[in-house]
């Protein structure tokens, strides 16, 4: 599964160009602001990033306070770049090349999980099984999903390679997400919706365990 996943065929440069496209997308900037906000709100010590990509937001970690910061991605080249960018400033950073839709490995007991735009590409149930094996008794999980509001699943930014993930993209229903989270013992504790320049929006849901 890991090697055939289309995410392994997209250069990080292309993904980041796509996410930073100002007129149509500006998604990276919004996600960066959201990470900042939720880190400030919860001041976590043991953090898990699911689908960390190039590490957007890692600059907001307080290296004097955090104990462990674990990042996971299916694409090893993204992890290599993230390491280059951040390991000097954040000695607590550990990176793992795993498929969260196909792993029950336990790497951390996280009190904060950041999962932005990844559930669109992974089976919900399997992702929560992975989370269950990597979470503290008491924890917050922040999940951002995309709501298309009638626009295409993957925005038009002129970046060709990104189109290959369309085949595995599925819109995540907020209802299904809340139901699955509840089955795994998470309570919804907050939510917000942010509309992007292209009319799509990001829905961010905060869940609490313990
Ligand atoms: C749409 S990007 C989101 C990246 C980042 N969270 C952000 O908000 O910019 C999805 C990321 O998840 C990774 N990914 C996709 N499927 C995965 C899986 N099954 N297991 C681990 N990582 C996965 C991709 O390689 C990519 O870096």
């Amino acid at each position: 599964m890991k090697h055939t996943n289309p995410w392994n065929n997209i250069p990080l440069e292309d993904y980041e160009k796509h996410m930073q496209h100002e007129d149509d997308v500006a998604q990276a900037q919004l996600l960066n602001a959201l990470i900042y906000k939720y880190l400030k709100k919860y001041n976590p010590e043991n953090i898990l990033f699911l689908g960390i990509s190039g590490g957007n937001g890692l600059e907001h970690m307080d290296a004097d306070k955090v104990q462990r910061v674990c990042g996971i991605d299916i694409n090893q080249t993204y992890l290599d770049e993230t390491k280059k960018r951040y390991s000097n400033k954040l000695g607590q950073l550990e990176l793992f090349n795993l498929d969260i839709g196909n792993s029950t490995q336990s790497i951390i007991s996280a009190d904060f999980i950041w999962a932005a735009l990844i559930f669109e590409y992974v089976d919900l149930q399997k992702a929560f099984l992975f989370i269950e094996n990597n979470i503290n008794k008491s924890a917050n999980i922040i999940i951002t999903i995309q709501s298309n509001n009638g626009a295409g699943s993957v925005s038009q930014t002129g970046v060709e390679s990104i189109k290959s993930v369309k085949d595995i993209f599925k819109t995540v229903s907020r209802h299904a997400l809340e139901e699955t989270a509840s089955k795994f013992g998470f309570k919804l504790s907050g939510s917000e919706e942010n509309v992007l320049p292209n009319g799509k929006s990001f829905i961010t849901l905060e869940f609490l365990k313990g």
Side-chain angles (χ1 to χ4, degrees):
M1 276 295 280
K2 207 150 101 177
H3 300 292
T4 55
N5 190 295
W7 275 105
N8 279 311
N9 301 324
I10 300 172
L12 183 60
E13 202 188 339
D14 285 8
Y15 173 64
E16 292 187 334
K17 201 162 140 202
H18 172 79
M19 292 295 282
Q20 285 160 10
H21 197 277
E22 280 184 19
D23 299 338
D24 296 333
V25 188
Q27 303 182 88
Q29 295 86 333
L30 172 56
L31 290 171
N32 190 282
L34 287 169
I35 298 171
Y36 179 77
K37 171 178 165 176
Y38 287 102
L39 284 172
K40 285 276 167 280
K41 179 169 180 181
Y42 291 113
N43 284 311
E45 291 183 345
N46 289 289
I47 300 161
L48 177 61
F49 268 56
L50 299 180
I52 193 164
S53 198
N56 186 16
L58 281 178
E59 71 273 24
H60 302 314
M61 297 288 160
D62 185 344
D64 295 330
K65 292 205 182 119
V66 296
Q67 284 178 13
R68 294 183 71 200
V69 181
C70 293
I72 289 170
D73 209 283
I74 200 162
N75 185 322
Q76 180 62 46
T77 67
Y78 293 2
L79 298 176
D80 295 342
E81 182 59 30
T82 299
K83 188 171 174 205
K84 253 196 247 164
R85 290 178 182 174
Y86 295 99
S87 62
N88 283 348
K89 293 167 236 153
L90 188 64
Q92 297 93 329
L93 183 63
E94 300 169 56
L95 299 164
F96 299 84
N97 182 217
L98 291 174
D99 176 352
I100 67 157
N102 199 22
S103 169
T104 49
Q105 202 173 319
S106 184
I107 55 171
I108 186 172
S109 178
D111 57 7
F112 181 94
I113 297 186
W114 178 253
L117 309 185
I118 175 150
F119 286 9
E120 280 80 3
Y121 307 98
V122 189
D123 177 79
L124 269 183
Q125 184 79 18
K126 290 183 177 155
F128 270 92
L129 277 173
F130 181 80
I131 288 170
E132 195 171 45
N133 287 316
N134 284 284
I135 198 153
N136 201 307
K137 288 196 298 292
S138 163
N140 298 97
I141 171 163
I142 319 294
I143 300 173
T144 297
I145 55 173
Q146 181 176 313
S147 176
N148 291 335
N149 301 328
S153 58
V154 177
S155 308
Q156 298 296 320
T157 54
V159 182
E160 279 304 306
S161 67
I162 198 83
K163 292 182 184 157
S164 64
V165 298
K166 265 190 188 158
D167 295 344
I168 59 164
F169 177 96
K170 57 174 173 34
T171 303
V172 178
S173 118
R174 176 177 176 163
H175 177 70
L177 178 56
E178 287 184 28
E179 247 184 22
T180 309
S182 157
K183 219 165 81 189
F184 281 83
F186 292 93
K187 283 199 193 89
L188 187 71
S189 58
S191 69
E192 65 177 288
E193 179 165 9
N194 294 280
V195 181
L196 292 156
N198 62 5
K200 286 185 185 180
S201 63
F202 284 171
I203 297 173
T204 300
L205 303 174
E206 289 173 70
F207 293 98
L208 174 71
K209 185 161 195 164

